[in-house]
Amino acid sequence: MGCRAYRCHRQKSGYYLMPWCELAGGGRRIWYEEQGQGPVLVLLHGWCMSSAVWRLQADDLSSRFRVVMPDLAGHGRSELSTGYGFEAFAADLVQLFVQLDLRDVLLAGWSMGAQIVLTAYQQLRERLIALVLISGTPCFAATESFPYGLGLKDVEGMALKVRRSTQRALAGFTALMFTADELREPAVARVTADVLAAVQIPEAEVALQSLDALAETDLSHLLSTLDLPVLVINGDQDRICLPEASTYMAAHIPGSSHTVFSGSGHALFLVRSEKFNTCLENFWRRVSDRRCY
């Protein structure tokens, strides 16, 4: 038998498994967290975030699912890479699936994570059972053919703020994730702040290169190629990935389901975690039941 090109190492911390994988071609390491047993649920974070944002999902859903939460290259605890475009992120995700031999996976991506899911789909198709696109968009910046993105000046403004101070830029970006009403309840605000405080701020170059990918990439042409069950979830008050973008995706993905959280912004899985988790679980049950016939 041949030598394996990459390895997985596991460390135990409380009830989490927190391993890293050495990827083929250079020994670069990707960190992921894992909790629970059962059907596999992979959760992919968004721009300048990390696997830490999924704490409320891991704590709840791990009693019914094996929840796997990777850090994208240059994010969280994962090591730096030579590039931070969607193709590079997708290639790492494919290697992680192969390394862990993940099959019949419910793959969910939030924000930029949704675009990475779209990019990796054809390579992962045989290992998936369904997709969930959370607060996503096929095209982050508005174009003539896709007017449902942020304006170019807004994206350029994000880049300028990152160059000045990544920390302050992300503080402003995080504030845009929520409506005022979502954080009005002190307990919700406190838990949300605790979760976000655990996110490590990436290096400016990581933030800028991945922002370039967001600004330059239009994945609209991939929507019609999705031939597994897809659930689109978004808040109707999202100021980052506009609600119209999710409506567009649902309309262009064959047979997709669409759930809209009224009064919610970009990070609905944080402020309305119970409803969100139930939505994921119910979708998985519908997909699983359908496969039994």
Side-chain angles (χ1 to χ4, degrees), residues 1 9 16 21 61 87 108 121 130 143-144 161 171 173 176 178 188 190-191 201 205 225 235 243 255 261 267 275:
M1 296 178 63
H9 304 259
Y16 277 99
C21 281
L61 294 172
E87 292 288 348
Y121 177 74
T143 65
E144 288 187 5
K161 291 175 183 177
F173 179 75
L176 287 174
F178 308 98
V188 173
R190 183 172 59 252
V191 170
I201 298 174
E205 187 59 27
T225 69
F261 282 40
K275 179 179 179 179

Side-chain angles (χ1 to χ4, degrees), residues 15 20 25 36 72 88 90 147 158 196 207 211 243 260 267 280 286:
Y15 47 80
W20 47 264
L72 298 173
M158 290 173 63
L196 292 176
L211 184 58
V260 179
L280 281 189
R286 293 198 302 272

